[in-house]
């Protein structure tokens, strides 16, 4: 079910996943500390480099998660203004699978996982795919977007804010354009140029029927926190002030 939802999100955004299966195994830990201990040993990463509120990540084709009860405790600690709901754990799974799917698309169409773009974008895209932190607030205005991510600005660490920024940009320019241009210099300010009317180009034919080379998608231990833990589940504090 979750795999299908993620595949449908990317298809609706203009990208058919190279390998719809995304993952082939799942490992669930009873606590964040157990997860951190295992991941630190398995990937030769310092345990302190993995957030104490770690909730989940995908490495290769394996999904790592904490238990539902542990995630509920983490959620209530980090997001007291967002009441816990039963769908939150399902959304955690969608969030992690979205990262893996996004990585596949970036590699297959654009040659590198770097094409996933800046942290705020790939996290905001995963939040959007998972349906997390949805509100009735209107999309951010162009002026508000410029204040948050224009002129080289980086927004505060906040998953609700990341999600709102990506949803606002998506409402204005479309998700296909965002995914295609996320790694361009000056993103997302380049979207505000008149040239945005042109159709984004990518190696779309290369992505069809090609399974991601696992070796290409792997990262060194030194990159593990930056490219996996920081790209993990909603496990960092942050609040939306806009």
């Amino acid at each position: 079910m979750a795999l299908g939802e993620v595949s449908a999100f990317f298809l609706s955004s203009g990208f058919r996943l190279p390998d719809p299966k995304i993952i082939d195994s799942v490992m669930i830990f009873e606590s964040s500390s157990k997860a951190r201990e295992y991941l630190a040993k398995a990937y030769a990463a310092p345990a302190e480099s993995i957030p104490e509120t770690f909730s989940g990540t995908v490495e290769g084709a394996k999904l790592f998660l904490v238990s539902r009860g542990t995630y509920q405790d983490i959620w209530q600690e980090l997001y007291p203004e967002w009441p816990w709901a039963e769908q939150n754990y399902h959304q955690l799974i969608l969030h992690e699978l979205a990262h893996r799917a996004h990585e596949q698309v970036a590699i297959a169409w654009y040659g590198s996982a770097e094409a996933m773009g800046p942290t705020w974008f790939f996290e905001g895209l995963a939040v959007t795919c998972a349906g997390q932190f949805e509100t009735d607030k209107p999309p951010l205005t162009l002026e508000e977007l410029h204040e948050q991510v224009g002129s080289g600005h980086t927004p505060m660490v906040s998953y609700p804010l990341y999600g709102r920024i990506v949803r606002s940009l998506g409402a204005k320019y479309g998700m296909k354009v965002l995914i295609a241009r996320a790694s361009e210099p000056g993103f997302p300010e380049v979207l505000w140029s008149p040239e945005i009317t042109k159709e984004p180009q990518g190696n779309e034919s290369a992505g069809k029927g090609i399974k991601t080379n696992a070796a290409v998608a792997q990262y060194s231990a030194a990159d593990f926190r930056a490219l996996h833990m920081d790209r993990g589940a909603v496990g960092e504090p942050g609040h939306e002030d806009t």
Side-chain angles (χ1 to χ4, degrees):
M1 179 179 177
L3 290 173
E5 291 177 60
V6 171
S7 180
F9 173 84
F10 279 89
L11 186 60
S12 70
S13 300
F15 297 91
R16 186 179 299 277
L17 298 185
D19 182 4
K21 187 177 180 181
I22 304 178
I23 60 168
D24 58 22
S25 60
V26 180
M27 183 174 289
I28 299 177
F29 300 90
E30 63 184 23
S31 67
S32 291
S33 61
K34 292 289 187 183
R36 294 171 70 229
E37 179 182 351
Y38 175 88
L39 292 169
K41 183 177 180 180
Y43 299 102
E48 59 270 20
S49 71
I50 304 173
E52 292 185 1
T53 53
F54 170 82
S55 300
T57 194
V58 174
E59 168 59 25
K62 180 174 287 188
L63 172 62
F64 298 98
L65 299 168
V66 295
S67 67
R68 179 185 294 270
T70 295
Y71 185 56
Q72 180 175 353
D73 291 341
I74 292 171
W75 180 277
Q76 292 173 332
E77 174 187 348
L78 296 180
Y79 300 101
E81 69 274 31
W82 294 87
W84 170 262
E86 283 307 304
Q87 71 263 26
N88 288 161
Y89 194 66
H90 179 68
Q91 290 173 334
L92 164 65
I93 296 171
L94 292 176
H95 183 112
E96 294 311 320
L97 294 179
H99 281 315
R100 176 59 174 158
H102 191 188
E103 182 180 68
Q104 283 191 357
V105 166
I107 292 171
W109 269 263
Y110 306 106
S112 168
E114 293 298 315
M116 292 172 71
T119 299
W120 66 262
F121 177 70
F122 61 66
E123 287 295 354
L125 186 71
V127 166
T128 301
C129 177
Q132 296 168 305
F133 305 116
E134 293 183 334
T135 74
D136 294 329
K137 293 181 180 180
L140 296 171
T141 65
L142 187 58
E143 291 74 21
E144 290 171 324
L145 288 169
H146 187 274
E147 180 181 347
Q148 291 292 341
V149 292
S151 300
H153 294 162
T154 299
M156 64 178 287
V157 179
S158 169
Y159 284 77
L161 178 57
Y162 291 168
R164 192 176 181 205
I165 290 171
V166 170
R167 288 181 177 114
S168 298
L169 288 169
K172 188 170 182 63
Y173 303 111
M175 286 298 175
K176 181 178 183 179
V177 170
L178 300 187
I179 293 170
R181 305 189 68 178
S183 63
E184 289 187 16
F187 177 83
E189 207 158 20
V190 294
L191 302 180
W192 306 329
S193 165
E195 283 76 24
I196 189 60
T197 54
K198 66 183 180 182
E199 180 73 9
Q201 299 297 312
N203 187 21
E204 298 191 12
S205 61
K208 296 177 181 178
I210 297 178
K211 185 172 182 178
T212 301
N213 186 328
V216 176
Q218 299 299 312
Y219 303 96
S220 67
D223 292 332
F224 188 71
R225 168 156 166 70
L227 295 177
H228 288 268
M229 292 304 122
D230 279 352
R231 203 185 65 208
V234 185
E236 293 287 349
H239 303 277
E240 182 175 1
D241 297 327
T242 58

